[in-house]
Amino acid sequence: MGKVGFIGGGAMAEAIVAAITQGTVNREDIYVSDHKAKRCEELAEHYGIHTSVGADGFAGAVDVLVLAIKPQAAAKAMEEVKGRVRKDAIILSIVAGLTLSVLEKAFPEQPVVRVMPNTPLAVGAGMSAFACGTHADRQAAAVVQELLASAGRAVEVSEAAMDAVTGLSGSGPAYAFLMIDALADGGVAAGLKRPAAIELAAQTLLGAAKMVLETGRHPDVLRDQVTSPAGTTIAGVRVMEQRGVRGALIDAVLAATEKSKELGKK
């Protein structure tokens, strides 16, 4: 993959660094810049990578440049490095709301890729979606796929789908945390101690998700395997259907998608 540089040393950047240092990229080929010297020291000490205040020293040497800064700092950061990066370097942006057209205006005729990651990236279980710009070919897409998949899973989508991605997987961890909390409350109400209830709820959702991903079976099929006639599970599912849990989750994704569209227009 070559050399990878990050502008911004926040949580998402660190999550990707932590993942790729496990074998995807050599530590000596990873560069991170952050405006805080202390943060640079922490990352260098913990991961054994190159860090600096400012990207001047590595911008022209990297094969992939990851923009991992806050939206309000993006314009300035792109202005500072756009004349320094190699013409064939992949520009990968995880900046919320930063469109491909804006990226391509700053880096004309370069392969640019827009990414929507989510917070489980921090524990190697992220779900990232990426959209490729005009000059990002299949080789560039494969590099991005490998980079992001090192911290979970990655899927390529059209940029038009990015708002839906935001509404589903971008905001989705919050929905899952809410479900874990609610399931744990149910366990406590049924007589369990809270630490055990939280562990049972969290591992149950983790296991269910893993079964969907690893078996490739439709969730309905897997649910039917757990749901015995006149059993405990169907009694619980019946209540969830009566209370509109399915509809609420669908509406949550749609509401978050619409909000993402609104924010993208500002």
Side-chain angles (χ1 to χ4, degrees):
M1 183 177 292
K3 300 179 185 296
V4 180
F6 294 79
I7 298 180
M12 283 295 192
E14 182 177 3
I16 298 174
V17 168
I20 63 177
T21 53
Q22 299 305 307
T24 307
V25 183
N26 294 326
R27 293 174 189 265
E28 60 267 25
D29 291 330
I30 300 173
Y31 302 80
V32 177
S33 70
D34 194 85
H35 66 284
K36 296 179 181 178
K38 185 176 180 182
R39 178 61 173 162
C40 290
E41 292 172 6
E42 291 172 351
L43 293 170
E45 182 177 350
H46 191 77
Y47 297 103
I49 58 176
H50 304 284
T51 62
S52 59
V53 177
D56 293 354
F58 65 78
V62 296
D63 300 285
V64 181
L65 181 65
V66 182
L67 303 178
I69 55 231
K70 294 180 179 179
Q72 58 268 32
K76 182 180 178 181
M78 290 190 294
E79 184 65 29
E80 289 177 350
V81 300
K82 68 179 184 179
R84 301 175 185 272
V85 294
R86 297 203 326 258
K87 293 299 182 183
D88 60 342
I90 299 169
I91 308 299
L92 190 158
S93 169
I94 63 173
V95 181
L98 196 61
T99 64
L100 287 174
S101 62
V102 173
L103 287 165
E104 291 185 328
K105 186 176 180 180
F107 303 98
E109 299 184 10
Q110 270 189 263
V112 300
V113 180
R114 178 184 174 187
V115 181
M116 169 52 70
N118 65 10
T119 54
L121 207 73
V123 292
M127 184 66 242
S128 299
F130 65 94
C132 293
T134 307
H135 303 289
D137 58 16
R138 291 300 86 199
Q139 183 178 354
V143 169
V144 172
Q145 175 81 37
E146 181 183 3
L147 187 73
L148 297 172
S150 64
R153 288 176 177 253
V155 61
E156 184 176 0
V157 300
S158 67
E159 186 176 30
M162 276 298 188
D163 291 315
V165 169
T166 301
L168 178 53
S169 62
S171 300
Y175 314 151
F177 297 143
L178 182 65
M179 286 188 281
I180 291 169
D181 191 33
L183 288 169
D185 278 351
V188 172
L192 294 170
K193 292 184 178 179
R194 184 161 297 278
I198 292 174
E199 184 175 1
L200 286 163
Q203 181 62 32
T204 297
L205 260 68
L206 175 63
K210 197 168 183 180
M211 285 188 72
V212 171
L213 292 172
E214 294 189 3
T215 67
R217 295 177 182 173
H218 193 282
D220 275 350
V221 174
L222 295 172
R223 186 187 63 188
D224 285 347
Q225 292 175 356
V226 187
T227 311
S228 311
T232 59
T233 305
I234 193 61
V237 169
R238 177 171 171 271
V239 172
M240 293 177 72
E241 294 287 9
Q242 288 176 337
R243 299 294 174 85
V245 173
R246 179 193 296 269
L249 289 170
I250 292 171
D251 287 346
V253 173
L254 292 175
T257 299
E258 288 305 310
K259 188 65 174 179
S260 178
K261 290 178 181 178
E262 289 176 19
L263 294 174
K265 293 176 183 177
K266 294 181 179 179

